[in-house]
């Protein structure tokens, strides 16, 4: 494994603003959400032209753009995997997907980013992967293991919640 010699910060002004906006805390509301119900993020919604592919042990998607996190559609189709950037800066606990807030079945710490060939890690506060609506009470996030350090279990199960995502402490 390459030795990390530095960290490249990729949190752009828009990504940082989304992370800090309106008490969104660990589940930021992306730009353009004012018209969406219950904090549904509309930025970077998946389209049929961007189907995710699956790799061994995890999802395979493009890298995260913190200025335009992918959040899936407002009305996801059951069983379809959408490219999704889970805000994990405070750990894996909450997600906003399909017009609802979701709570992870078990809280996890933020996955460490995998260094590139030059030994640099790019930190955005997001973890790339796919989100799938399994049924009305279950969503499944699968981490793109190519972008995180070894030893991370790639599947996180979420359940709907009426709780609001807390602000990072």
């Amino acid at each position: 494994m390459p030795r990390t010699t530095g960290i490249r910060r990729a949190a752009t002004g828009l990504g940082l603003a989304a992370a800090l906006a309106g008490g969104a805390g660990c589940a930021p509301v992306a730009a353009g959400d004012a018209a969406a119900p219950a904090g549904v993020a509309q930025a970077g919604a998946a389209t049929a032209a961007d189907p995710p592919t699956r790799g061994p042990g995890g999802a395979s998607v493009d890298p995260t753009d913190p200025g335009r996190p992918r959040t899936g559609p407002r009305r996801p189709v059951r069983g379809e995997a959408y490219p999704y950037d889970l805000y994990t800066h405070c750990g894996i606990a909450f997600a906003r997907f399909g017009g609802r807030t979701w709570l992870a079945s078990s809280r996890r710490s933020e996955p460490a980013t995998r260094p590139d060939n030059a030994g640099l890690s790019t930190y955005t506060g997001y973890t790339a992967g796919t989100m799938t609506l399994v049924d009305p009470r279950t969503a499944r996030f699968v981490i793109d293991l190519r972008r995180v350090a070894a030893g991370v279990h790639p599947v996180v199960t979420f359940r709907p919640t009426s709780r609001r995502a807390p602000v990072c402490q």
Side-chain angles (χ1 to χ4, degrees):
M1 182 170 186
R3 196 171 135 224
T4 302
T5 57
I7 296 178
R8 249 182 317 195
R9 297 274 178 192
T12 64
L14 283 176
L16 185 56
L20 299 174
C26 291
V29 177
D33 285 351
V40 179
Q42 297 300 306
T47 66
D50 300 334
T53 58
R54 294 186 186 268
S60 180
V61 297
D62 289 335
T64 299
D65 175 355
R68 293 183 41 202
R70 296 165 292 200
T71 58
R74 185 179 298 208
R75 291 182 190 88
V77 174
R78 188 183 300 182
E80 188 168 336
Y82 297 94
Y84 190 88
D85 298 323
L86 182 64
Y87 189 67
T88 57
H89 172 70
C90 299
I92 297 174
F94 289 91
R96 293 205 175 133
F97 178 68
R100 295 192 276 178
T101 300
W102 300 79
L103 179 64
S105 295
S106 62
R107 186 179 174 98
R108 296 188 193 176
S109 59
E110 176 182 22
T113 58
R114 181 183 300 264
D116 63 16
N117 291 336
L120 298 174
S121 293
T122 300
Y123 180 76
T124 65
Y126 291 89
T127 298
T130 60
M131 186 71 86
T132 303
L133 180 65
V134 176
D135 61 52
R137 307 238 355 113
T138 310
R140 181 180 52 236
F141 178 69
V142 180
I143 296 171
D144 183 342
L145 293 175
R146 298 172 305 152
R147 309 207 188 288
V148 298
V152 173
H153 181 67
V155 179
V156 182
T157 301
F158 287 90
R159 305 278 183 227
T161 183
S162 59
R163 290 178 52 191
R164 190 176 174 136
V167 175
C168 293
Q169 304 282 318

